[in-house]
Amino acid sequence: PFLLSLVEDNQTVTTAAKVLHPPLFPFLLLLARLQPASMSTADDAVTETTCLFIKPVLQCLSHRHNKVRNMAARALAVLCSGDSVNGKDSSSRYYLLSCCTDLLESRDCPKVDWNKKHGALLGIRSLLLSSPNSRQLFDDQKLYSAVALYASWGSGAFDCPPSCVAVALDILEFAVCNAFNGAEIMLKSMGGKESSFLEVALFDAVHRIEALSHERSPTVMIGLSTLSPVVGKIAGALCSSAIFGSDKLNG
């Protein structure tokens, strides 16, 4: 109860605050380093305990501090009880992915909360990377469409931060590496030929990086420092795949 009240109280105070409350990040770090609940032998006891922390950790995905969002995403994967499809299991990977997808699709007023969108994408990536059944999870059309929207920079609207695009592209690259069906569903014409959605999204990202690099805005430059390595990694993998005739990208 004490630890739960600590994270709930501090998260409520610091989500919109400019100063990070000291206990919050160490607590999330502690959660992220625990043995995953899905690997525990005392399933009922562990699930009952970890479920109490899921709501405040999900809320931490919207925190204004990037490090808190990243650590909350890692902690979320640890709290996940496994890939159960039981609709009543509020700690299953299906349920947590659904929560993150809802955060991505939610409408914020009066302006978009990009911290929340970025945190939701981090949560999705963490949950997929820690699952032995990632292919089945990502085949969900709602999840794929939500991630693809951000990977394509808002379907070409270019209104979301580079940091969100970076995580979304990272998720799609992971999908292609695992030969997911979803990653190749959407095709688009590029240079007179049909190309995979990931190739088109990467092509758009490169052009957008070139355009934004001239703005010199501190916020934009921070986002580009996150996006550029992801784009470089995927471009290298795509080239390697084309040269050596591999059907999969090698992350």
Side-chain angles (χ1 to χ4, degrees):
F2 170 73
L3 290 176
L4 181 61
S5 63
L6 181 70
V7 69
E8 287 179 332
D9 293 344
N10 289 330
Q11 197 279 331
T12 300
V13 172
T14 60
T15 293
K18 293 183 179 181
V19 179
L20 176 63
H21 201 282
L24 183 57
F25 183 81
F27 178 78
L28 291 172
L29 179 61
L30 175 63
L31 280 180
R33 291 182 177 272
L34 294 176
Q35 176 179 305
S38 58
M39 297 177 61
S40 174
T41 55
D43 295 333
D44 294 338
V46 170
T47 300
E48 183 178 349
T49 302
T50 56
C51 276
L52 299 175
F53 293 95
I54 286 176
K55 182 178 179 180
V57 169
L58 280 170
Q59 291 174 338
C60 285
L61 292 177
S62 303
H63 203 280
R64 66 176 288 117
H65 290 280
N66 178 55
K67 290 295 185 181
V68 172
R69 296 195 299 273
N70 274 276
M71 199 53 62
R74 290 174 56 184
L76 194 63
V78 170
L79 296 174
C80 175
S81 61
D83 293 351
S84 170
V85 294
N86 183 359
K88 296 181 180 180
D89 187 354
S90 59
S91 62
S92 72
R93 207 175 311 273
Y94 283 93
Y95 176 80
L96 296 178
L97 283 171
S98 176
C99 290
C100 291
T101 304
D102 290 341
L103 288 177
L104 278 182
E105 296 183 334
S106 63
R107 296 183 178 275
D108 305 312
C109 295
K111 62 180 181 180
V112 178
D113 184 350
W114 292 116
N115 288 333
K116 180 169 68 175
K117 308 303 184 185
H118 181 242
L121 287 164
L122 290 172
I124 290 172
R125 182 177 66 180
S126 184
L127 289 166
L128 288 176
L129 288 174
S130 60
S131 172
N133 302 307
S134 298
R135 175 170 183 169
Q136 290 83 350
L137 293 168
F138 201 73
D139 275 343
D140 178 79
Q141 187 60 42
K142 180 180 179 181
L143 174 61
Y144 169 74
S145 298
V147 173
L149 177 65
Y150 287 87
S152 63
W153 227 308
S155 295
F158 301 112
D159 58 350
C160 60
S163 55
C164 290
V165 181
V167 182
L169 282 173
D170 213 16
I171 294 171
L172 283 186
E173 191 252 351
F174 173 69
V176 175
C177 282
N178 288 272
F180 292 174
N181 295 330
E184 297 297 313
I185 289 176
M186 298 178 65
L187 295 176
K188 184 177 179 182
S189 177
M190 181 179 72
K193 66 175 184 178
E194 292 298 315
S195 303
S196 72
F197 178 82
L198 180 61
E199 291 173 329
V200 177
L202 185 67
F203 185 80
D204 290 341
V206 171
H207 281 271
R208 191 59 178 167
I209 288 173
E210 292 177 352
L212 291 175
S213 63
H214 299 294
E215 293 189 7
R216 302 299 179 187
S217 166
T219 303
V220 170
M221 296 307 292
I222 291 174
L224 290 182
S225 69
T226 303
L227 176 60
S228 298
V230 174
V231 169
K233 179 185 71 171
I234 298 174
L238 287 171
C239 291
S240 176
S241 177
I243 292 172
F244 297 106
S246 173
D247 292 332
K248 301 180 182 179
L249 298 180
N250 296 312

